[in-house]
Amino acid sequence: MLLNAKRERDGVKLFYQIHCLVDSLSAENAEKLKRTIAPFSAFSGIEFCDISKNDAYPFTLVSQLFLRLNPFAKKRFSKMILCRLLLASIFPQYEKIIMFDVDTLFVGDISESFFIPMDGEYFGATKEDLSLINIHSANDLFVSRLNWSKGMGVKLNHKSLSFQEVGILYENPFNAGFMLVNLALWRESHLEEKLIDFFKTRDEGLLLPEQDLFVLVCQGRILEMPCKYNVHPRMVGTRMIPKKSDACMLHFYADEKPWKHFGYPYSKEWHQVAFKTSFESLVFENLVGRIETFTELNDHNKKSFFEFLNTRLNKKFLIQYVLFKIFKKLESFCLR
């Protein structure tokens, strides 16, 4: 994100204060994140809020609400998604923030999104193109969710969303992976209480818990933002995002995570950025573990990926990787 971020706007310097909501993040990984953004310290800072080490409100409420979700939602998502319902309490020092998911890749500047005017909207978000998954009507979405529920073993009962509610989701297919949040209005309107009250009526019936809640509770007061701020890779080349340069943030929602398969869209680009972080040894280890997926690439992509690896696998890096493996072996032996 910082690599593409503008440092000033209309002659005024910009500063990016990053708050990472984490769950049991190790001190080692926190230090790696700090080292990663150190080159950008002139215009950015980073803080960590570990919900596992905070037994005060609202984090205790997050844990309680998470227990009410169905087994599928608890397996697919972490407690972190429910922190979004309580952003105004978690960040009392701000009136407006940008919130985004971790399975993302920034390919452009997002600073302008912060200055988009909001007039009575609780938050701004982009809409998904449901036609990419062959959803062309409210009935299509209802049937898809019905089949999804059955396939995931989610019980259908009075807490399941009605056809009318799914219709609202179809007409308002906002994705919560990138949000411009009007925290001042949340507090003024007591939105957190409204979100929690509605959650308690549906809890185990929710498939996309916080996203469904936001749309159903906030309908009519959601600002539609330019889709460039939250782009699924499959959207590139469509009418919404004709070319990659039109995107600001790529969001790898659904199952095509670039670190899982070299053949997924923008896997090479994701690895290029990941190798620039302090986690490069872990990235390389994961890459080696996925080497079997190379067989599914065409010859052009194989050549492209090996050319990229050739630029990274220098003597210095390989020595660092060997030392990293030795340290991990020693750590594992000493902690037995």
Side-chain angles (χ1 to χ4, degrees):
M1 180 190 80
L2 296 173
L3 196 63
N4 297 289
K6 289 183 180 179
R7 303 193 183 188
E8 65 174 55
R9 182 177 187 268
D10 297 334
V12 178
K13 291 185 178 180
L14 300 177
F15 189 87
Y16 299 81
Q17 184 59 47
I18 301 170
H19 293 270
C20 296
L21 285 172
V22 298
D23 188 0
S24 303
L25 181 70
S26 69
E28 177 188 2
N29 285 335
E31 282 303 312
K32 286 182 178 180
L33 285 168
K34 289 178 182 178
R35 290 201 303 272
T36 296
I37 75 160
F40 310 98
S41 59
F43 63 98
S44 69
I46 188 169
E47 295 180 14
F48 301 96
C49 179
D50 196 327
I51 67 172
S52 68
K53 299 175 183 177
N54 198 321
D55 57 1
Y57 180 88
F59 301 108
T60 51
L61 179 58
V62 168
S63 298
Q64 293 167 14
L65 296 178
F66 186 73
L67 294 175
R68 299 176 64 138
L69 294 175
N70 61 67
F72 160 72
K74 283 189 282 192
K75 182 178 180 181
R76 175 167 180 170
F77 305 109
S78 75
K79 289 186 290 187
M80 310 305 297
I81 63 167
L82 297 183
C83 287
R84 294 176 181 171
L85 307 180
L86 301 163
L87 290 173
S89 293
I90 295 173
F91 300 110
Q93 69 272 44
Y94 298 119
E95 293 190 351
K96 189 179 186 182
I97 63 171
I98 292 173
M99 189 285 310
F100 53 84
D101 283 0
V102 294
D103 55 345
T104 53
L105 176 65
F106 291 89
V107 292
D109 170 60
I110 64 164
S111 64
E112 283 303 314
S113 68
F114 186 79
F115 300 100
I116 294 176
M118 303 187 81
D119 183 20
E121 292 96 0
Y122 290 124
F123 66 89
T126 69
K127 287 185 175 180
E128 295 182 24
D129 184 356
L130 296 179
S131 67
L132 293 176
I133 53 174
N134 294 316
I135 302 294
H136 303 286
S137 67
N139 188 66
D140 287 347
L141 184 59
F142 185 77
V143 172
S144 175
R145 281 180 162 243
L146 196 63
N147 292 334
W148 192 15
S149 296
K150 292 178 180 178
M152 295 299 111
V154 178
K155 296 179 180 178
L156 300 174
N157 53 35
H158 64 285
K159 293 192 173 184
S160 303
L161 297 187
S162 67
F163 181 84
Q164 181 182 9
E165 289 169 328
V166 172
I168 293 172
L169 297 180
Y170 175 76
E171 295 297 333
N172 302 272
F174 289 101
N175 185 288
F178 183 98
M179 297 172 64
L180 176 65
V181 190
N182 188 347
L183 296 182
L185 185 60
W186 280 38
R187 298 185 188 103
E188 180 184 325
S189 303
H190 304 287
L191 181 61
E192 287 187 359
E193 290 90 334
K194 295 174 184 177
L195 289 167
I196 300 307
D197 287 344
F198 191 80
F199 174 89
K200 290 178 179 177
T201 68
R202 297 308 172 93
D203 47 41
E204 65 184 49
L206 297 168
L207 294 179
L208 301 174
E210 86 294 11
Q211 185 166 292
D212 290 350
L213 282 174
F214 278 137
V215 173
L216 294 173
V217 175
C218 303
Q219 59 170 313
R221 303 190 69 176
I222 304 172
L223 174 69
E224 182 177 356
M225 298 182 67
C227 58
K228 66 180 180 179
Y229 292 116
N230 190 356
V231 178
H232 187 278
R234 296 292 182 186
M235 291 169 62
V236 178
T238 69
R239 58 181 176 80
M240 298 180 76
I241 303 291
K243 53 187 184 299
K244 179 187 172 184
S245 59
D246 295 323
C248 288
M249 186 190 85
L250 296 171
H251 183 191
F252 304 100
Y253 56 87
D255 298 322
E256 294 185 341
K257 309 297 185 186
W259 53 89
K260 289 184 176 181
H261 197 299
F262 297 133
Y264 287 159
Y266 296 97
S267 180
K268 175 183 173 182
E269 289 82 353
W270 183 87
H271 280 89
Q272 285 175 326
V273 174
F275 267 113
K276 295 177 182 178
T277 72
S278 299
F279 296 89
E280 58 179 1
S281 293
L282 286 172
V283 173
F284 181 63
E285 189 168 61
N286 177 72
L287 188 151
V288 171
R290 301 283 177 175
I291 201 70
E292 73 278 1
T293 63
F294 265 123
T295 59
E296 300 177 32
L297 297 181
N298 58 42
D299 290 340
H300 173 75
N301 287 336
K302 285 179 182 177
K303 181 181 178 182
S304 176
F305 222 105
F306 275 112
E307 287 176 347
F308 158 64
L309 287 178
N310 191 47
T311 65
R312 301 301 310 169
L313 304 186
N314 52 50
K315 184 178 180 180
K316 179 182 177 182
F317 172 76
L318 291 175
I319 291 174
Q320 289 177 334
Y321 179 69
V322 170
L323 292 175
F324 166 78
K325 292 294 289 182
I326 292 173
F327 172 76
K328 286 300 178 183
K329 286 289 186 182
L330 287 172
E331 181 182 46
S332 176
F333 177 77
C334 293
L335 293 178
R336 285 179 181 175

